[in-house]
mmCIF file of all heavy atoms in Angstrom:
data_model
loop_
_atom_site.group_PDB
_atom_site.id
_atom_site.type_symbol
_atom_site.label_atom_id
_atom_site.label_comp_id
_atom_site.label_asym_id
_atom_site.label_seq_id
_atom_site.Cartn_x
_atom_site.Cartn_y
_atom_site.Cartn_z
ATOM 1 N N ALA A 1202 0.823 -1.215 0.000
ATOM 2 C CA ALA A 1202 0.000 0.000 0.000
ATOM 3 C C ALA A 1202 0.852 1.257 0.000
ATOM 4 O O ALA A 1202 0.368 2.332 -0.308
ATOM 5 C CB ALA A 1202 -0.918 -0.006 1.212
ATOM 6 N N ILE A 1203 2.124 1.142 0.365
ATOM 7 C CA ILE A 1203 3.020 2.299 0.395
ATOM 8 C C ILE A 1203 4.427 1.822 0.079
ATOM 9 O O ILE A 1203 4.835 0.728 0.476
ATOM 10 C CB ILE A 1203 2.969 3.004 1.772
ATOM 11 C CG1 ILE A 1203 3.760 4.316 1.760
ATOM 12 C CG2 ILE A 1203 3.466 2.104 2.882
ATOM 13 C CD1 ILE A 1203 3.531 5.183 2.978
ATOM 14 N N ASN A 1204 5.169 2.630 -0.670
ATOM 15 C CA ASN A 1204 6.556 2.269 -0.979
ATOM 16 C C ASN A 1204 7.519 3.145 -0.172
ATOM 17 O O ASN A 1204 7.112 4.000 0.609
ATOM 18 C CB ASN A 1204 6.824 2.383 -2.481
ATOM 19 C CG ASN A 1204 6.615 3.809 -3.003
ATOM 20 O OD1 ASN A 1204 6.485 4.759 -2.239
ATOM 21 N ND2 ASN A 1204 6.587 3.939 -4.318
ATOM 22 N N ASP A 1205 8.805 2.915 -0.357
ATOM 23 C CA ASP A 1205 9.815 3.639 0.428
ATOM 24 C C ASP A 1205 9.776 5.143 0.182
ATOM 25 O O ASP A 1205 10.037 5.933 1.088
ATOM 26 C CB ASP A 1205 11.215 3.104 0.108
ATOM 27 C CG ASP A 1205 11.435 1.692 0.621
ATOM 28 O OD1 ASP A 1205 10.588 1.240 1.415
ATOM 29 O OD2 ASP A 1205 12.421 1.046 0.224
ATOM 30 N N MET A 1206 9.430 5.537 -1.004
ATOM 31 C CA MET A 1206 9.371 6.967 -1.313
ATOM 32 C C MET A 1206 8.243 7.640 -0.527
ATOM 33 O O MET A 1206 8.408 8.734 0.022
ATOM 34 C CB MET A 1206 9.174 7.175 -2.817
ATOM 35 C CG MET A 1206 9.370 8.626 -3.261
ATOM 36 S SD MET A 1206 9.135 8.823 -5.042
ATOM 37 C CE MET A 1206 10.463 7.826 -5.691
ATOM 38 N N GLY A 1207 7.078 6.951 -0.442
ATOM 39 C CA GLY A 1207 5.967 7.485 0.338
ATOM 40 C C GLY A 1207 6.329 7.594 1.808
ATOM 41 O O GLY A 1207 6.007 8.596 2.467
ATOM 42 N N LEU A 1208 7.004 6.586 2.334
ATOM 43 C CA LEU A 1208 7.452 6.630 3.737
ATOM 44 C C LEU A 1208 8.437 7.777 3.953
ATOM 45 O O LEU A 1208 8.411 8.445 4.986
ATOM 46 C CB LEU A 1208 8.102 5.300 4.127
ATOM 47 C CG LEU A 1208 7.167 4.105 4.335
ATOM 48 C CD1 LEU A 1208 7.979 2.833 4.547
ATOM 49 C CD2 LEU A 1208 6.264 4.333 5.537
ATOM 50 N N HIS A 1209 9.301 7.978 2.969
ATOM 51 C CA HIS A 1209 10.295 9.053 3.077
ATOM 52 C C HIS A 1209 9.619 10.425 3.159
ATOM 53 O O HIS A 1209 9.943 11.235 4.046
ATOM 54 C CB HIS A 1209 11.235 8.993 1.869
ATOM 55 C CG HIS A 1209 12.158 10.163 1.764
ATOM 56 N ND1 HIS A 1209 13.253 10.337 2.589
ATOM 57 C CD2 HIS A 1209 12.127 11.260 0.937
ATOM 58 C CE1 HIS A 1209 13.864 11.469 2.273
ATOM 59 N NE2 HIS A 1209 13.201 12.042 1.278
ATOM 60 N N PHE A 1210 8.666 10.681 2.269
ATOM 61 C CA PHE A 1210 7.983 11.978 2.262
ATOM 62 C C PHE A 1210 7.199 12.193 3.560
ATOM 63 O O PHE A 1210 7.248 13.286 4.147
ATOM 64 C CB PHE A 1210 7.045 12.082 1.061
ATOM 65 C CG PHE A 1210 7.759 12.273 -0.250
ATOM 66 C CD1 PHE A 1210 7.308 11.635 -1.400
ATOM 67 C CD2 PHE A 1210 8.870 13.095 -0.339
ATOM 68 C CE1 PHE A 1210 7.965 11.813 -2.601
ATOM 69 C CE2 PHE A 1210 9.525 13.281 -1.539
ATOM 70 C CZ PHE A 1210 9.079 12.631 -2.680
ATOM 71 N N LEU A 1211 6.456 11.167 3.994
ATOM 72 C CA LEU A 1211 5.671 11.304 5.226
ATOM 73 C C LEU A 1211 6.577 11.485 6.438
ATOM 74 O O LEU A 1211 6.246 12.225 7.363
ATOM 75 C CB LEU A 1211 4.770 10.082 5.404
ATOM 76 C CG LEU A 1211 3.634 9.938 4.377
ATOM 77 C CD1 LEU A 1211 2.906 8.609 4.568
ATOM 78 C CD2 LEU A 1211 2.652 11.094 4.478
ATOM 79 N N GLY A 1212 7.732 10.812 6.421
ATOM 80 C CA GLY A 1212 8.686 10.988 7.518
ATOM 81 C C GLY A 1212 9.224 12.414 7.572
ATOM 82 O O GLY A 1212 9.362 12.991 8.651
ATOM 83 N N LYS A 1213 9.521 12.991 6.400
ATOM 84 C CA LYS A 1213 10.001 14.375 6.344
ATOM 85 C C LYS A 1213 8.942 15.361 6.834
ATOM 86 O O LYS A 1213 9.273 16.424 7.379
ATOM 87 C CB LYS A 1213 10.390 14.725 4.900
ATOM 88 C CG LYS A 1213 11.671 14.066 4.415
ATOM 89 C CD LYS A 1213 12.895 14.644 5.102
ATOM 90 C CE LYS A 1213 14.176 14.084 4.530
ATOM 91 N NZ LYS A 1213 15.374 14.611 5.250
ATOM 92 N N MET A 1214 7.664 14.979 6.638
ATOM 93 C CA MET A 1214 6.563 15.843 7.083
ATOM 94 C C MET A 1214 6.171 15.580 8.539
ATOM 95 O O MET A 1214 5.179 16.122 9.014
ATOM 96 C CB MET A 1214 5.343 15.624 6.181
ATOM 97 C CG MET A 1214 5.547 16.015 4.735
ATOM 98 S SD MET A 1214 4.113 15.550 3.710
ATOM 99 C CE MET A 1214 4.681 16.056 2.091
ATOM 100 N N LYS A 1215 6.964 14.733 9.231
ATOM 101 C CA LYS A 1215 6.709 14.376 10.642
ATOM 102 C C LYS A 1215 5.345 13.717 10.822
ATOM 103 O O LYS A 1215 4.622 13.983 11.781
ATOM 104 C CB LYS A 1215 6.803 15.613 11.548
ATOM 105 C CG LYS A 1215 8.139 16.348 11.474
ATOM 106 C CD LYS A 1215 9.286 15.460 11.929
ATOM 107 C CE LYS A 1215 10.609 16.219 11.905
ATOM 108 N NZ LYS A 1215 11.767 15.342 12.211
ATOM 109 N N ILE A 1216 4.991 12.872 9.864
ATOM 110 C CA ILE A 1216 3.736 12.121 9.946
ATOM 111 C C ILE A 1216 4.076 10.669 10.275
ATOM 112 O O ILE A 1216 4.846 10.025 9.566
ATOM 113 C CB ILE A 1216 2.947 12.200 8.623
ATOM 114 C CG1 ILE A 1216 2.522 13.650 8.346
ATOM 115 C CG2 ILE A 1216 1.708 11.286 8.676
ATOM 116 C CD1 ILE A 1216 1.856 13.850 7.002
ATOM 117 N N MET A 1217 3.492 10.166 11.361
ATOM 118 C CA MET A 1217 3.731 8.780 11.769
ATOM 119 C C MET A 1217 2.921 7.827 10.897
ATOM 120 O O MET A 1217 1.756 8.088 10.599
ATOM 121 C CB MET A 1217 3.330 8.606 13.240
ATOM 122 C CG MET A 1217 3.530 7.197 13.778
ATOM 123 S SD MET A 1217 2.824 6.992 15.436
ATOM 124 C CE MET A 1217 3.909 8.010 16.412
ATOM 125 N N VAL A 1218 3.542 6.715 10.516
ATOM 126 C CA VAL A 1218 2.878 5.721 9.673
ATOM 127 C C VAL A 1218 2.893 4.363 10.374
ATOM 128 O O VAL A 1218 3.952 3.893 10.808
ATOM 129 C CB VAL A 1218 3.563 5.598 8.294
ATOM 130 C CG1 VAL A 1218 2.850 4.547 7.445
ATOM 131 C CG2 VAL A 1218 3.592 6.934 7.586
ATOM 132 N N VAL A 1219 1.721 3.756 10.499
ATOM 133 C CA VAL A 1219 1.604 2.382 11.019
ATOM 134 C C VAL A 1219 0.990 1.546 9.904
ATOM 135 O O VAL A 1219 -0.158 1.765 9.514
ATOM 136 C CB VAL A 1219 0.721 2.325 12.284
ATOM 137 C CG1 VAL A 1219 0.646 0.888 12.804
ATOM 138 C CG2 VAL A 1219 1.270 3.247 13.354
ATOM 139 N N ARG A 1220 1.783 0.614 9.377
ATOM 140 C CA ARG A 1220 1.340 -0.170 8.226
ATOM 141 C C ARG A 1220 0.670 -1.491 8.631
ATOM 142 O O ARG A 1220 0.704 -1.886 9.788
ATOM 143 C CB ARG A 1220 2.544 -0.499 7.334
ATOM 144 C CG ARG A 1220 3.084 0.670 6.571
ATOM 145 C CD ARG A 1220 4.077 0.226 5.539
ATOM 146 N NE ARG A 1220 5.332 -0.243 6.120
ATOM 147 C CZ ARG A 1220 6.385 -0.635 5.405
ATOM 148 N NH1 ARG A 1220 6.317 -0.637 4.094
ATOM 149 N NH2 ARG A 1220 7.488 -1.039 5.993
ATOM 150 N N ASP A 1221 0.101 -2.142 7.628
ATOM 151 C CA ASP A 1221 -0.406 -3.517 7.724
ATOM 152 C C ASP A 1221 -1.523 -3.692 8.763
ATOM 153 O O ASP A 1221 -1.551 -4.680 9.496
ATOM 154 C CB ASP A 1221 0.733 -4.495 8.021
ATOM 155 C CG ASP A 1221 1.766 -4.536 6.900
ATOM 156 O OD1 ASP A 1221 1.390 -4.191 5.770
ATOM 157 O OD2 ASP A 1221 2.918 -4.907 7.155
ATOM 158 N N ILE A 1222 -2.403 -2.705 8.852
ATOM 159 C CA ILE A 1222 -3.601 -2.876 9.682
ATOM 160 C C ILE A 1222 -4.486 -3.928 9.009
ATOM 161 O O ILE A 1222 -4.823 -3.813 7.831
ATOM 162 C CB ILE A 1222 -4.376 -1.545 9.817
ATOM 163 C CG1 ILE A 1222 -3.479 -0.465 10.467
ATOM 164 C CG2 ILE A 1222 -5.657 -1.752 10.613
ATOM 165 C CD1 ILE A 1222 -3.068 -0.775 11.880
ATOM 166 N N GLU A 1223 -4.839 -4.975 9.763
ATOM 167 C CA GLU A 1223 -5.633 -6.061 9.191
ATOM 168 C C GLU A 1223 -7.092 -5.630 9.010
ATOM 169 O O GLU A 1223 -7.595 -4.767 9.728
ATOM 170 C CB GLU A 1223 -5.571 -7.295 10.097
ATOM 171 C CG GLU A 1223 -4.179 -7.872 10.276
ATOM 172 C CD GLU A 1223 -3.656 -8.566 9.021
ATOM 173 O OE1 GLU A 1223 -4.453 -8.783 8.091
ATOM 174 O OE2 GLU A 1223 -2.447 -8.863 8.978
ATOM 175 N N ARG A 1224 -7.757 -6.301 8.079
ATOM 176 C CA ARG A 1224 -9.154 -5.976 7.780
ATOM 177 C C ARG A 1224 -10.054 -6.171 9.013
ATOM 178 O O ARG A 1224 -10.966 -5.386 9.258
ATOM 179 C CB ARG A 1224 -9.652 -6.840 6.617
ATOM 180 C CG ARG A 1224 -11.045 -6.492 6.132
ATOM 181 C CD ARG A 1224 -11.463 -7.439 5.022
ATOM 182 N NE ARG A 1224 -10.614 -7.288 3.854
ATOM 183 C CZ ARG A 1224 -10.829 -6.388 2.889
ATOM 184 N NH1 ARG A 1224 -11.853 -5.567 2.977
ATOM 185 N NH2 ARG A 1224 -10.028 -6.317 1.847
ATOM 186 N N ASN A 1225 -9.761 -7.237 9.805
ATOM 187 C CA ASN A 1225 -10.617 -7.505 10.967
ATOM 188 C C ASN A 1225 -10.379 -6.531 12.118
ATOM 189 O O ASN A 1225 -11.092 -6.560 13.116
ATOM 190 C CB ASN A 1225 -10.430 -8.949 11.451
ATOM 191 C CG ASN A 1225 -8.979 -9.278 11.795
ATOM 192 O OD1 ASN A 1225 -8.127 -8.391 11.834
ATOM 193 N ND2 ASN A 1225 -8.690 -10.543 12.027
ATOM 194 N N GLU A 1226 -9.355 -5.666 12.001
ATOM 195 C CA GLU A 1226 -9.097 -4.661 13.031
ATOM 196 C C GLU A 1226 -9.811 -3.346 12.746
ATOM 197 O O GLU A 1226 -9.920 -2.498 13.632
ATOM 198 C CB GLU A 1226 -7.590 -4.378 13.141
ATOM 199 C CG GLU A 1226 -6.738 -5.548 13.583
ATOM 200 C CD GLU A 1226 -5.262 -5.197 13.606
ATOM 201 O OE1 GLU A 1226 -4.635 -5.151 12.533
ATOM 202 O OE2 GLU A 1226 -4.734 -4.957 14.715
ATOM 203 N N VAL A 1227 -10.288 -3.181 11.530
ATOM 204 C CA VAL A 1227 -10.812 -1.884 11.091
ATOM 205 C C VAL A 1227 -12.014 -1.441 11.926
ATOM 206 O O VAL A 1227 -12.071 -0.292 12.399
ATOM 207 C CB VAL A 1227 -11.164 -1.928 9.593
ATOM 208 C CG1 VAL A 1227 -11.932 -0.673 9.181
ATOM 209 C CG2 VAL A 1227 -9.911 -2.077 8.758
ATOM 210 N N ASP A 1228 -12.982 -2.320 12.130
ATOM 211 C CA ASP A 1228 -14.194 -1.946 12.866
ATOM 212 C C ASP A 1228 -13.869 -1.506 14.293
ATOM 213 O O ASP A 1228 -14.417 -0.514 14.786
ATOM 214 C CB ASP A 1228 -15.171 -3.120 12.902
ATOM 215 C CG ASP A 1228 -15.813 -3.374 11.544
ATOM 216 O OD1 ASP A 1228 -15.775 -2.459 10.713
ATOM 217 O OD2 ASP A 1228 -16.340 -4.482 11.329
ATOM 218 N N PHE A 1229 -12.981 -2.271 14.960
ATOM 219 C CA PHE A 1229 -12.630 -1.929 16.340
ATOM 220 C C PHE A 1229 -11.905 -0.581 16.408
ATOM 221 O O PHE A 1229 -12.185 0.245 17.290
ATOM 222 C CB PHE A 1229 -11.742 -3.026 16.939
ATOM 223 C CG PHE A 1229 -11.416 -2.816 18.402
ATOM 224 C CD1 PHE A 1229 -12.310 -3.206 19.391
ATOM 225 C CD2 PHE A 1229 -10.225 -2.213 18.789
ATOM 226 C CE1 PHE A 1229 -12.019 -3.008 20.729
ATOM 227 C CE2 PHE A 1229 -9.925 -2.007 20.123
ATOM 228 C CZ PHE A 1229 -10.827 -2.413 21.099
ATOM 229 N N ILE A 1230 -10.993 -0.343 15.466
ATOM 230 C CA ILE A 1230 -10.244 0.923 15.440
ATOM 231 C C ILE A 1230 -11.192 2.098 15.204
ATOM 232 O O ILE A 1230 -11.115 3.124 15.892
ATOM 233 C CB ILE A 1230 -9.146 0.875 14.354
ATOM 234 C CG1 ILE A 1230 -8.038 -0.105 14.759
ATOM 235 C CG2 ILE A 1230 -8.545 2.261 14.118
ATOM 236 C CD1 ILE A 1230 -7.020 -0.386 13.672
ATOM 237 N N CYS A 1231 -12.101 1.946 14.243
ATOM 238 C CA CYS A 1231 -13.045 3.030 13.934
ATOM 239 C C CYS A 1231 -13.948 3.337 15.128
ATOM 240 O O CYS A 1231 -14.224 4.500 15.436
ATOM 241 C CB CYS A 1231 -13.883 2.676 12.716
ATOM 242 S SG CYS A 1231 -12.953 2.665 11.173
ATOM 243 N N LYS A 1232 -14.407 2.276 15.800
ATOM 244 C CA LYS A 1232 -15.287 2.472 16.959
ATOM 245 C C LYS A 1232 -14.534 3.138 18.105
ATOM 246 O O LYS A 1232 -15.076 4.004 18.802
ATOM 247 C CB LYS A 1232 -15.841 1.129 17.408
ATOM 248 C CG LYS A 1232 -16.885 1.242 18.506
ATOM 249 C CD LYS A 1232 -17.548 -0.090 18.795
ATOM 250 C CE LYS A 1232 -18.653 0.063 19.850
ATOM 251 N NZ LYS A 1232 -19.337 -1.219 20.131
ATOM 252 N N THR A 1233 -13.280 2.741 18.300
ATOM 253 C CA THR A 1233 -12.485 3.290 19.398
ATOM 254 C C THR A 1233 -12.118 4.749 19.161
ATOM 255 O O THR A 1233 -12.265 5.598 20.050
ATOM 256 C CB THR A 1233 -11.195 2.465 19.597
ATOM 257 O OG1 THR A 1233 -11.541 1.096 19.822
ATOM 258 C CG2 THR A 1233 -10.392 2.975 20.785
ATOM 259 N N LEU A 1234 -11.633 5.038 17.959
ATOM 260 C CA LEU A 1234 -11.153 6.391 17.649
ATOM 261 C C LEU A 1234 -12.274 7.326 17.202
ATOM 262 O O LEU A 1234 -12.038 8.523 17.037
ATOM 263 C CB LEU A 1234 -10.088 6.329 16.548
ATOM 264 C CG LEU A 1234 -8.808 5.549 16.869
ATOM 265 C CD1 LEU A 1234 -7.894 5.536 15.656
ATOM 266 C CD2 LEU A 1234 -8.084 6.177 18.068
ATOM 267 N N ASN A 1235 -13.467 6.774 16.987
ATOM 268 C CA ASN A 1235 -14.592 7.566 16.482
ATOM 269 C C ASN A 1235 -14.221 8.226 15.155
ATOM 270 O O ASN A 1235 -14.448 9.420 14.933
ATOM 271 C CB ASN A 1235 -15.000 8.630 17.510
ATOM 272 C CG ASN A 1235 -16.371 9.212 17.214
ATOM 273 O OD1 ASN A 1235 -17.187 8.579 16.546
ATOM 274 N ND2 ASN A 1235 -16.624 10.423 17.691
ATOM 275 N N CYS A 1236 -13.621 7.409 14.292
ATOM 276 C CA CYS A 1236 -13.240 7.907 12.968
ATOM 277 C C CYS A 1236 -13.884 7.010 11.908
ATOM 278 O O CYS A 1236 -14.574 6.044 12.230
ATOM 279 C CB CYS A 1236 -11.722 7.919 12.802
ATOM 280 S SG CYS A 1236 -10.970 6.267 12.772
ATOM 281 N N ARG A 1237 -13.621 7.341 10.637
ATOM 282 C CA ARG A 1237 -14.167 6.552 9.537
ATOM 283 C C ARG A 1237 -13.042 6.186 8.584
ATOM 284 O O ARG A 1237 -12.113 6.985 8.365
ATOM 285 C CB ARG A 1237 -15.247 7.337 8.800
ATOM 286 C CG ARG A 1237 -16.473 7.616 9.656
ATOM 287 C CD ARG A 1237 -17.391 8.630 9.010
ATOM 288 N NE ARG A 1237 -17.960 8.143 7.757
ATOM 289 C CZ ARG A 1237 -18.684 8.884 6.924
ATOM 290 N NH1 ARG A 1237 -18.925 10.148 7.216
ATOM 291 N NH2 ARG A 1237 -19.165 8.370 5.805
ATOM 292 N N PRO A 1238 -13.085 4.986 7.992
ATOM 293 C CA PRO A 1238 -12.033 4.620 7.030
ATOM 294 C C PRO A 1238 -12.110 5.488 5.779
ATOM 295 O O PRO A 1238 -13.199 5.846 5.323
ATOM 296 C CB PRO A 1238 -12.333 3.150 6.716
ATOM 297 C CG PRO A 1238 -13.756 2.947 7.089
ATOM 298 C CD PRO A 1238 -14.067 3.914 8.191
ATOM 299 N N ILE A 1239 -10.949 5.847 5.240
ATOM 300 C CA ILE A 1239 -10.874 6.749 4.093
ATOM 301 C C ILE A 1239 -10.438 5.937 2.879
ATOM 302 O O ILE A 1239 -9.306 5.446 2.820
ATOM 303 C CB ILE A 1239 -9.882 7.898 4.368
ATOM 304 C CG1 ILE A 1239 -10.290 8.636 5.648
ATOM 305 C CG2 ILE A 1239 -9.818 8.845 3.189
ATOM 306 C CD1 ILE A 1239 -9.207 9.503 6.233
ATOM 307 N N ALA A 1240 -11.332 5.800 1.912
ATOM 308 C CA ALA A 1240 -11.072 4.931 0.763
ATOM 309 C C ALA A 1240 -10.427 5.655 -0.404
ATOM 310 O O ALA A 1240 -9.927 5.026 -1.331
ATOM 311 C CB ALA A 1240 -12.369 4.272 0.296
ATOM 312 N N SER A 1241 -10.438 6.993 -0.375
ATOM 313 C CA SER A 1241 -9.867 7.767 -1.475
ATOM 314 C C SER A 1241 -9.244 9.036 -0.925
ATOM 315 O O SER A 1241 -9.724 9.594 0.073
ATOM 316 C CB SER A 1241 -10.947 8.107 -2.499
ATOM 317 O OG SER A 1241 -10.491 9.075 -3.409
ATOM 318 N N VAL A 1242 -8.189 9.489 -1.567
ATOM 319 C CA VAL A 1242 -7.522 10.716 -1.118
ATOM 320 C C VAL A 1242 -8.462 11.921 -1.235
ATOM 321 O O VAL A 1242 -8.320 12.921 -0.505
ATOM 322 C CB VAL A 1242 -6.220 10.940 -1.922
ATOM 323 C CG1 VAL A 1242 -6.541 11.285 -3.376
ATOM 324 C CG2 VAL A 1242 -5.343 12.009 -1.282
ATOM 325 N N ASP A 1243 -9.452 11.838 -2.123
ATOM 326 C CA ASP A 1243 -10.407 12.940 -2.292
ATOM 327 C C ASP A 1243 -11.342 13.067 -1.087
ATOM 328 O O ASP A 1243 -11.956 14.109 -0.881
ATOM 329 C CB ASP A 1243 -11.249 12.728 -3.555
ATOM 330 C CG ASP A 1243 -10.387 12.731 -4.812
ATOM 331 O OD1 ASP A 1243 -9.370 13.448 -4.816
ATOM 332 O OD2 ASP A 1243 -10.722 12.012 -5.773
ATOM 333 N N HIS A 1244 -11.492 11.963 -0.303
ATOM 334 C CA HIS A 1244 -12.381 11.981 0.862
ATOM 335 C C HIS A 1244 -11.642 12.342 2.152
ATOM 336 O O HIS A 1244 -12.217 12.269 3.227
ATOM 337 C CB HIS A 1244 -13.042 10.603 1.042
ATOM 338 C CG HIS A 1244 -13.867 10.183 -0.132
ATOM 339 N ND1 HIS A 1244 -14.109 8.862 -0.445
ATOM 340 C CD2 HIS A 1244 -14.493 10.925 -1.098
ATOM 341 C CE1 HIS A 1244 -14.842 8.803 -1.533
ATOM 342 N NE2 HIS A 1244 -15.094 10.042 -1.947
#
């Protein structure tokens, strides 16, 4: 979902990245953080 160049840019922007979130974790994370999954950069 992300290559080394993407990690490099986000790191320079001081944005933390946690990769490989499993599909079965999504519902629990959304409920806990009160957020919604983002399927497109436009959203």
Side-chain angles (χ1 to χ4, degrees):
I1203 187 169
N1204 61 12
D1205 291 348
M1206 191 180 296
L1208 286 173
H1209 171 74
F1210 287 141
L1211 292 174
K1213 288 290 185 183
M1214 296 174 183
K1215 303 298 182 186
I1216 296 174
M1217 180 188 291
V1218 180
V1219 181
R1220 288 191 289 183
D1221 297 336
I1222 300 296
E1223 298 289 349
R1224 186 182 296 274
N1225 57 9
E1226 296 178 283
V1227 170
D1228 288 341
F1229 185 83
I1230 290 171
C1231 290
K1232 186 172 183 179
T1233 303
L1234 298 177
N1235 196 23
C1236 67
R1237 295 168 64 187
I1239 304 163
S1241 168
V1242 69
D1243 297 328
H1244 300 154

